[in-house]
Amino acid sequence: MTLDEVQAAFLAAGFCGIEADQGVVYARIAPQAPEFRAELCADGGEGQAWRLVLPWNVRPPQAAIAAWNALMGAARMEILAGEACLVMPFPDRGVLIRWAALAAEAEVHFIRWRRERRPAEGM
């Protein structure tokens, strides 16, 4: 997929706030939702493939990450640059309905994990 095709897929899926910058496409599943991105990454072979990434500034418990990953298949919870991220391959626009549902579910977990850290972090 090209950068233009990624943007067109996001638009067709009803996402908003779509913009591209330096080869990365940013969007939101809804106006009030957090921003996610589509970026190119190594595909495990010799090429590159797109992936969807929803970052959140929280460090969930390792057990919570393992539980999510055991249930969600290709939609993985990872720690990237020190924060939790929902990460999922983006081979074509067919995954965007599932992505939107998973992103909304992940957001609920991210908020809960952040609130659980309040006693330790004073938030």
Side-chain angles (χ1 to χ4, degrees):
M1 249 188 301
T2 67
L3 192 71
D4 289 338
E5 290 170 329
V6 170
Q7 288 179 286
F10 284 2
L11 187 60
F15 297 158
C16 56
I18 303 165
E19 60 182 61
D21 184 37
Q22 299 182 18
V24 177
V25 181
Y26 299 90
R28 297 174 187 274
I29 59 171
Q32 73 280 8
E35 186 173 73
F36 71 92
R37 66 183 181 265
E39 62 186 20
L40 282 170
C41 62
D43 68 1
E46 295 182 18
Q48 290 192 317
W50 289 95
R51 70 178 179 176
L52 301 166
V53 180
L54 172 64
W56 200 278
N57 189 14
V58 66
R59 293 282 302 218
Q62 285 297 90
I65 293 173
W68 174 281
N69 290 341
L71 293 173
M72 298 303 179
R76 312 288 295 165
M77 195 69 64
E78 298 180 11
I79 302 296
L80 301 174
E83 59 188 8
C85 294
L86 176 63
V87 179
M88 189 169 111
F90 180 36
D92 57 56
R93 68 177 56 196
V95 303
L96 292 178
I97 292 172
R98 182 163 189 254
W99 170 256
L102 289 169
E105 183 175 345
E107 183 180 355
V108 171
H109 289 285
F110 291 150
I111 290 169
R112 181 174 48 84
W113 293 328
R114 169 61 70 204
R115 288 180 178 155
E116 288 172 355
R117 296 193 52 87
R118 281 184 181 163
E121 296 176 358
M123 298 187 304

